[in-house]
Amino acid sequence: MRNIVFKNLTSTSKKRRILSTCEVVENKGVLTRIRRSFVYIVKSIADSKKDELPIPRVYVLKIKDSRTNHEKFFCRVKGGLYLVNNNKLFFVVFSHSLTINLTPVSATTNHK
């Protein structure tokens, strides 16, 4: 069994875009849930307001519970960058995340 859900949430008034996917796969007695999320916020910048780019951040977390055979992996990357389009300067803040959960099928009752 394999289910994939795609979401594309765009707000032109807030200049924000959120893209996400959720995938559920059952294979050999293991239920795998994979969630990916990409968030972008665009801000118009005047040349006189140029600031330093924020320090990129990377978060990684791995949890393994031997007693229940559950595993979780989480990774997030946050940062920002400047872009030029039609001689206008923009600042884009982004956050990308990936979450993977592995659980035995017998231990799960709800596949959401």
Side-chain angles (χ1 to χ4, degrees):
M1 172 183 84
R2 183 180 193 140
N3 294 326
I4 300 176
V5 177
F6 294 95
K7 291 183 183 179
N8 181 353
L9 306 171
T10 303
S11 171
T12 47
S13 62
K14 294 182 181 179
K15 305 218 188 262
R16 177 176 55 196
R17 173 169 278 186
I18 302 171
L19 305 168
S20 66
T21 65
C22 181
E23 182 178 353
V24 179
V25 179
E26 185 180 326
N27 188 13
K28 297 181 183 178
V30 177
L31 184 66
T32 305
R33 290 185 185 99
I34 303 169
R35 294 178 192 253
R36 297 173 191 90
S37 177
F38 308 95
V39 179
Y40 303 96
I41 299 172
V42 179
K43 299 176 184 179
S44 182
I45 303 289
D47 284 336
S48 61
K49 292 188 173 184
K50 285 186 195 177
D51 294 328
E52 272 189 42
L53 287 172
I55 298 172
R57 306 274 186 211
V58 177
Y59 305 95
V60 178
L61 174 68
K62 182 178 178 184
I63 300 171
K64 183 174 182 176
D65 187 346
S66 302
R67 188 175 48 87
T68 60
N69 286 331
H70 290 148
E71 290 186 52
K72 180 177 183 175
F73 174 79
F74 175 76
C75 179
R76 175 173 284 154
V77 178
K78 289 181 159 186
L81 53 101
Y82 286 103
L83 299 173
V84 176
N85 186 16
N86 293 331
N87 292 326
K88 292 182 183 176
L89 184 64
F90 296 93
F91 182 64
V92 179
V93 179
F94 65 88
S95 175
H96 298 177
S97 64
L98 170 68
T99 304
I100 302 172
N101 287 307
L102 302 170
T103 55
V105 174
S106 61
T108 60
T109 56
N110 189 356
H111 294 294
K112 285 187 177 183

